[in-house]
Amino acid sequence: MHKKLLTSHQIKPIRIGALTLENPVILAPMSGVTDLPFRRLVKKFGAGMVVSEMIASQAMIRECRKTMQMATRAPDEGLMAVQIAGCEPDVMGEAAKLNEDRGADIIDINFGCPVRKVVNGHAGSALMRDEIHAARILEATVKAVKVPVTLKMRLGWNHENKNAPRLAKIAEECGIQMVTVHGRTRCQMYEGQADWSALRAVRDAMKLPLIVNGDICDMNDAEQALEESGADGIMIGRGAYGRPWLLQQAIDYLRNGVTTASPTLDRQYTTLLEHFDAMLTHYGSHAGLRIARKHIGWYSKGLTRSSEFRAAVNATDDAEKARELIHHFYASLPEQVA
Ligand SMILES: Cc1cc2nc3c(=O)[nH]c(=O)nc-3n(C[C@H](O)[C@H](O)[C@H](O)COP(=O)(O)O)c2cc1C
């Protein structure tokens, strides 16, 4: 354990309506990744809040089975936001209400998704190009529920149109209670580096709690992102791939100035097994194994002979065999050097 000098970039609890986010270190919504098994695990390690995969509001109100599964919460995942996307104010309101009734603590609205299918349907980051319509969606959603509604967006559509500060102000006026900004434009997709300092203009435009997101993968990133953006908290996505403990490490660092070591390989093994079993239970063994493969790849990345291990896991359709492969792989690793 290593203790650093405390800086001014410490995190403090955030109030969102009647809720208190004790540690504003949030797991980012990621389709295909932040399902219930992963959210529970990240929460168990100590995340301040977790967010569901993006839920299409139309599918939600049609009560599609897969969509309902994505929006289902567990009692032990702590503060949990369901993220909804769509472009029809009434439908967004209805979807928000359904999720409130199903136990969501917070409704998060997606104005950030850059994917063509979503944008062509005038949802996700496409809404950043139409501030009047965006306001209608925000108002309708806030009006439909009692729980707090938050907003996640990008810096803007492209370099010439970085209107996140204006939209954040609009969001505040519409009753939104927290804003998260991914420091890229829609046209950047995932290219280049997230621009944390660009959030300063958002900070200055409104008084709501502000969360900085994009490319936060270690303690230095966490500290620098807060310092450059002036945000109140951080949101971590891809950095938590295969490292559900990362958010707790970030909390320890930002709260107490303590760098906690990553878990031993033994603990990593038991964490992966717990995650693997949870995926099999949640999806059934066939779909569970298919979804588990990418997580197994992330946990084992960089470990000795991990590519052979991944190839073997990818080659089997038998969950029990995959379990054995996981066991043998971790058992064969040399002890971790602290
Ligand atoms: C596989 C994947 C799926 C994602 N799905 C969503 C989503 O459903 N909703 C959303 O708002 N953002 C989504 N994002 C964006 C992330 O929430 C986050 O803004 C982005 O990855 C940048 O943060 P990071 O560098 O910490 O990953 C997704 C990103 C990835 C990589």
Side-chain angles (χ1 to χ4, degrees):
M1 203 184 277
H2 156 242
K3 191 143 177 129
K4 71 175 183 117
L5 287 177
L6 291 178
T7 70
S8 56
H9 315 302
Q10 279 177 275
I11 44 168
K12 298 188 190 80
I14 289 180
R15 298 264 320 159
I16 314 179
L19 304 173
T20 301
L21 230 160
E22 287 301 334
N23 300 297
V25 173
I26 302 171
L27 177 66
M30 290 188 286
S31 298
V33 180
T34 55
D35 55 10
L36 191 138
F38 191 59
R39 294 197 309 269
R40 281 177 78 183
L41 198 56
V42 172
K43 174 62 204 174
K44 200 170 154 187
F45 275 100
M49 175 175 140
V50 296
V51 188
S52 75
E53 303 170 80
M54 179 179 80
I55 309 288
S57 53
Q58 273 286 2
M60 185 78 208
I61 66 164
R62 277 188 269 115
E63 306 206 356
C64 292
R65 200 172 62 85
K66 190 168 167 226
T67 306
M68 300 305 264
Q69 190 184 33
M70 290 199 297
T72 297
R73 66 158 301 139
D76 57 355
E77 62 179 313
L79 267 191
M80 186 265 199
V82 170
Q83 188 188 64
I84 58 173
C87 61
E88 294 150 289
D90 294 353
V91 177
M92 286 289 277
E94 204 177 323
K97 178 80 177 82
L98 267 172
N99 280 299
E100 177 183 53
D101 292 345
R102 288 168 51 84
D105 298 306
I106 291 170
I107 303 296
D108 187 57
I109 298 180
N110 181 317
F111 277 9
C113 183
V115 175
R116 203 173 290 276
K117 200 175 103 189
V118 174
V119 168
N120 287 351
H122 307 289
S125 52
L127 285 164
M128 296 197 72
R129 300 175 96 180
D130 185 346
E131 293 172 10
I132 293 175
H133 192 61
R136 284 194 197 112
I137 288 189
L138 298 172
E139 269 172 4
T141 310
V142 169
K143 212 170 127 207
V145 290
K146 293 192 186 64
V147 295
V149 181
T150 59
L151 171 66
K152 178 168 181 278
M153 62 180 160
R154 289 187 169 229
L155 292 175
W157 181 259
N158 58 17
H159 184 68
E160 290 69 41
N161 296 287
K162 290 188 185 163
N163 60 341
R166 235 178 16 245
L167 261 171
K169 181 73 193 147
I170 292 170
E172 186 175 34
E173 287 163 2
C174 291
I176 294 293
Q177 309 232 26
M178 181 173 83
V179 172
T180 301
V181 182
H182 174 188
R184 287 186 174 85
T185 63
R186 186 272 172 186
C187 289
Q188 280 179 292
M189 303 296 277
Y190 288 92
E191 281 164 19
Q193 262 313 104
D195 182 358
W196 300 320
S197 62
L199 271 74
R200 278 277 162 192
V202 182
R203 173 68 298 159
D204 294 343
M206 50 108 206
K207 295 195 172 59
L208 296 175
L210 175 66
I211 306 295
V212 57
N213 167 243
D215 300 341
I216 301 175
C217 294
D218 60 28
M219 305 306 114
N220 285 338
D221 294 340
E223 186 171 34
Q224 206 179 325
L226 282 177
E227 181 178 339
E228 289 185 14
S229 63
D232 306 289
I234 60 172
M235 176 180 273
I236 297 181
R238 293 164 297 173
Y241 282 179
R243 297 191 293 166
W245 47 84
L246 180 68
L247 279 79
Q248 181 59 52
Q249 289 178 306
I251 291 169
D252 291 342
Y253 186 76
L254 295 171
R255 203 161 61 173
N256 307 320
V258 162
T259 306
T260 38
S262 292
T264 60
L265 277 182
D266 201 38
R267 179 87 204 280
Q268 291 183 29
Y269 163 65
T270 51
T271 301
L272 168 53
L273 266 196
E274 181 184 340
H275 191 178
F276 181 72
D277 286 340
M279 285 184 275
L280 298 188
T281 306
H282 188 65
Y283 294 107
S285 78
H286 184 71
L289 173 58
R290 191 170 43 76
I291 291 160
R293 287 197 187 112
K294 63 179 175 241
H295 289 279
I296 295 171
W298 291 328
Y299 279 98
S300 61
K301 198 172 157 204
L303 297 176
T304 312
R305 288 195 301 278
S306 61
S307 54
E308 288 155 59
F309 163 60
R310 282 193 292 274
V313 171
N314 290 343
T316 183
D317 280 327
D318 180 345
E320 207 34 57
K321 173 89 189 301
R323 209 168 195 286
E324 277 168 30
L325 287 165
I326 296 169
H327 174 76
H328 289 305
F329 172 67
Y330 278 88
S332 74
L333 290 172
E335 268 306 294
Q336 191 179 33
V337 182

